[in-house]
Amino acid sequence: EYVWPTKYDHFEDMLVMHSGYRRFGFGDLVVPCSFGSNTVGRQTAAEWVRTAFHDMATFDHTTGKGGLDASIMFETESGENAGTAFNSTLSDIWEFVSPRTSVSDMIALALVASVASCGGPEVPLRLGRIDATEAGPLGVPEPQDSLETIQADFDRMGLTTEEMIALVACGHTLGGVHSEDFPDITGPEDVSASNVPKFDNTHAEFDTAVVDEYLSNKGINPLVFGKNETTNSDKRVFGADGNVTMHKLADAATFSSTCAEVFEKMINVVPSTVTLSEPIQLVKVKPYLDTFKLNSDGTKFEVELHVRLRSTKGKGYESPPSSVTIDVLDRKGNRTSLQAAHATLKGGQSYGFFSETFDWYLLTTELDVAAGAESFKIHISTSEGEEVLDNGGTGGYPFNDGVIAGTQSCLDTTGTQGNVTFDLYSAVRSDLVQDLDGAPWVSFAHRMPQQGAVTPRIVVEKISMAEVTASVDGYKFFKGKATTPSSGWSTRYDLGITLKDGKEVTREFIRTPSTSC
Ligand code: HEM
């Protein structure tokens, strides 16, 4: 059962909240499938799918090396990765990379989002991929390769002939071949950005056209019907088992379910040292503690709390609850019920792929610092009765009032050329200060440019904080300094304390401040 918070909460947000209230906008780049963030002759959704394949295609199942590990970042100059698609995909996902999101997990998400946006099936998404720090071996099949070579490549990746056929057909239902990168395939007559012969007549629809056109021997796929037989690799691949698999794939439902299976298998091909999470499940009731801070005189906690209810047909609260109440437990054992209101901006709803809808409730309140804030439960009243959610049986959703982000945190741009310094403050509950094992800390995620790659690397630095003289009743203040290249100033940090009994209390994934010191 889901217990809040998890390190993948942010990922689940990116996966599902594409429009409406509190949208994350990751899907915008591939919506609609035919355009997205396209430029002439380029289809972003197709590029994202191709990038996932090329990154994964170097896997060797005998050594467990390679696979979806973002090593493509360092391999874009190699011949088997012709075209600008890879760097363009990596630039697209750049701003979403964080200490909680590896580039390789983002590539997997990119595939899932593209397939969804183009009308394809839901591909389950597991997380936990770890990024390579250098180029891996080569190994992406190329159009001029013989069937034996291509089969040997897929065999090395741990995929059967049937899976090979399906994966190529599922991939090549989108996009086409760029004349600028493959003039030998498209012909020398018109080599231009806009000349991109497509794999089928519906290149922006995730459908069986690529299969149908192949089977009827009447189509436009440049890797099937190309004048140059040498580069007709799709023709060789599709016919590898005497068209048995292609005939199966001609059925729309089979095509859809098979593509979901082989895509899932493809994005889960990871180095043997990586353990992936369970597939991300959409959470039915999810809280967001957006603000939890001390007011100016330190007597109150200022709280802004959202609750997101899934309202997707058949999967959530289809008719709006009559009330959503937050039941707050203070440190003295007292409970207070506070009513959350349906959010009003953009109708208080957000939307995702596969007709997902969510309804948002908001509570803005102040709580007494003297009483403390332990945890909260969520009460939801519907026509069927009242439901009390206690965070998957844990007794409540924690406020974690042991460590609070200091609002004094600020950005100092006057430092060394090209760098910025942050003064980061935390408030630590006074009764915990005597139990500290070492100083309170900041875990700061630097976004460091990396040589040979367009995507930065996340380097996490643990910084000790020192006590400052200011304090309020119940809390002591600490300060730490982090310096980072100004190009990567917008990042995240965690605050934490380690107690003598080994327990850690943290407040995580805080945005760096933009106000100047
Ligand atoms: C034998 C294996 C394969 C070969 C030889 C091959 C070859 C190619 C070539 C030459 C292109 C044109 C690239 C460009 O001009 O930008 C292409 C595009 C593409 N490939 Fe493959 N491919 C193979 C397998 C796959 C697989 C397994 C997938 C996905 C699962 C895939 C997905 C795509 C997509 C989506 C495009 C369109 C890209 C765009 O329009 O920008 N390919 N492929």
Side-chain angles (χ1 to χ4, degrees):
E1 201 173 352
Y2 175 76
V3 174
W4 177 85
T6 80
K7 58 181 174 171
Y8 296 132
D9 284 335
H10 179 66
F11 226 99
E12 192 249 17
D13 289 339
M14 284 195 287
L15 176 64
V16 294
M17 285 176 325
H18 291 160
S19 56
Y21 193 73
R22 284 187 66 135
R23 56 196 293 285
F24 275 72
F26 180 67
D28 289 2
L29 302 172
V30 288
V31 175
C33 174
S34 51
F35 298 109
S37 60
N38 294 359
T39 53
V40 177
R42 311 215 69 94
Q43 186 185 347
T44 305
E47 293 189 346
W48 284 9
V49 171
R50 181 168 173 242
T51 300
F53 172 61
H54 280 232
D55 190 29
M56 163 276 184
T58 55
F59 186 67
D60 185 337
H61 78 94
T62 59
T63 62
K65 294 213 166 94
L68 204 59
D69 61 359
S71 64
I72 190 89
M73 291 189 285
F74 308 99
E75 297 160 355
T76 53
E77 297 295 318
S78 90
E80 63 186 33
N81 294 323
T84 55
F86 309 107
N87 274 337
S88 152
T89 301
L90 291 164
S91 308
D92 290 339
I93 63 182
W94 195 92
E95 64 168 302
F96 297 93
V97 174
S98 78
R100 299 230 178 139
T101 44
S102 61
V103 177
S104 39
D105 275 347
M106 288 304 300
I107 293 175
L109 173 66
L111 176 128
V112 173
S114 303
V115 172
S117 167
C118 298
E122 213 167 332
V123 181
L125 177 64
R126 293 171 190 267
L127 299 170
R129 291 169 197 76
I130 297 171
D131 294 342
T133 50
E134 58 186 17
L138 300 180
V140 185
E142 295 187 77
Q144 67 278 12
D145 291 342
S146 68
L147 180 60
E148 290 68 38
T149 306
I150 296 175
Q151 270 179 312
D153 281 337
F154 278 88
D155 184 55
R156 167 181 45 73
M157 297 171 216
L159 299 171
T160 63
T161 295
E162 198 175 337
E163 286 167 336
M164 166 187 80
I165 297 167
L167 203 54
V168 176
C170 298
H172 289 177
T173 186
L174 302 176
V177 178
H178 294 83
S179 59
E180 285 186 327
D181 303 317
F182 295 91
D184 294 348
I185 298 177
T186 60
E189 305 79 27
D190 175 11
V191 175
S192 64
S194 58
N195 185 27
V196 184
K198 303 299 188 292
F199 289 125
D200 66 25
N201 277 297
T202 56
H203 70 278
E205 272 166 56
F206 200 93
D207 62 8
T208 60
V210 65
V211 179
D212 305 337
E213 293 177 21
Y214 163 79
L215 287 175
S216 65
N217 206 19
K218 242 173 75 191
I220 57 173
N221 184 341
L223 300 181
V224 171
F225 304 103
K227 284 198 204 103
N228 184 353
E229 209 50 65
T230 313
T231 52
N232 279 340
S233 55
D234 278 9
K235 188 172 170 186
R236 294 192 286 278
V237 167
F238 292 165
D241 65 356
N243 290 344
V244 173
T245 302
M246 289 301 270
H247 277 294
K248 286 188 201 157
L249 293 173
D251 173 65
T254 308
F255 184 76
S256 182
S257 62
T258 308
C259 291
E261 275 169 35
V262 289
F263 278 146
E264 182 182 13
K265 188 154 183 185
M266 178 178 105
I267 59 175
N268 291 347
V269 169
V270 292
S272 56
T273 47
V274 172
T275 308
L276 295 177
S277 71
E278 288 300 305
I280 297 298
Q281 302 288 346
L282 301 197
V283 182
K284 196 172 169 196
V285 178
K286 187 173 169 187
Y288 295 70
L289 188 55
D290 295 307
T291 305
F292 187 82
K293 62 182 189 194
L294 293 169
N295 70 352
S296 52
D297 63 7
T299 55
K300 301 276 183 195
F301 298 121
E302 292 177 3
V303 179
E304 188 184 279
L305 174 64
H306 275 94
V307 178
R308 189 195 77 186
L309 299 192
R310 193 178 184 190
S311 47
T312 313
K313 209 167 180 312
K315 293 176 181 159
Y317 299 89
E318 284 173 45
S319 45
S322 51
S323 75
V324 173
T325 308
I326 310 298
D327 179 27
V328 173
L329 176 67
D330 69 22
R331 296 207 152 271
K332 298 186 166 148
N334 303 313
R335 293 193 168 274
T336 316
S337 276
L338 299 161
Q339 182 139 6
H342 196 277
T344 48
L345 197 73
K346 295 188 180 173
Q349 287 193 314
S350 43
Y351 311 91
F353 293 130
F354 305 107
S355 313
E356 289 290 349
T357 58
F358 301 91
D359 272 77
W360 290 83
Y361 290 79
L362 171 63
L363 171 70
T364 310
T365 191
E366 287 188 341
L367 301 172
D368 253 344
V369 168
E374 174 89 45
S375 63
F376 59 93
K377 292 184 188 179
I378 303 171
H379 293 230
I380 299 172
S381 295
T382 63
S383 51
E384 274 137 54
E386 193 183 71
E387 202 182 345
V388 181
L389 296 149
D390 70 347
N391 198 18
T394 60
Y397 301 86
F399 278 113
N400 254 354
D401 69 358
V403 177
I404 302 175
T407 45
Q408 319 91 310
S409 296
C410 57
L411 167 69
D412 181 359
T413 48
T414 57
T416 330
Q417 199 68 36
N419 284 330
V420 291
T421 299
F422 295 99
D423 284 346
L424 302 173
Y425 290 84
S426 71
V428 178
R429 221 173 65 215
S430 306
D431 63 303
L432 296 177
V433 171
Q434 67 207 36
D435 294 331
L436 287 183
D437 178 19
W441 43 265
V442 183
S443 177
F444 189 86
H446 297 274
R447 301 166 72 128
M448 304 297 276
Q450 49 183 349
Q451 188 135 37
V454 295
T455 322
R457 191 155 55 102
I458 302 284
V459 179
V460 176
E461 182 192 10
K462 207 162 178 179
I463 300 160
S464 275
M465 303 181 94
E467 192 165 345
V468 295
T469 43
S471 70
V472 294
D473 255 5
Y475 282 90
K476 291 194 162 32
F477 291 103
F478 293 82
K479 177 181 163 183
K481 265 183 192 296
T483 298
T484 199
S486 47
S487 60
W489 76 269
S490 171
T491 177
R492 303 274 190 162
Y493 64 97
D494 300 339
L495 296 172
I497 50 174
T498 310
L499 301 174
K500 283 182 191 134
D501 62 8
K503 242 183 78 186
E504 281 193 349
V505 184
T506 59
R507 187 157 299 277
E508 298 182 7
F509 214 50
I510 307 163
R511 268 182 210 287
T512 42
S514 52
T515 42
S516 300
C517 296

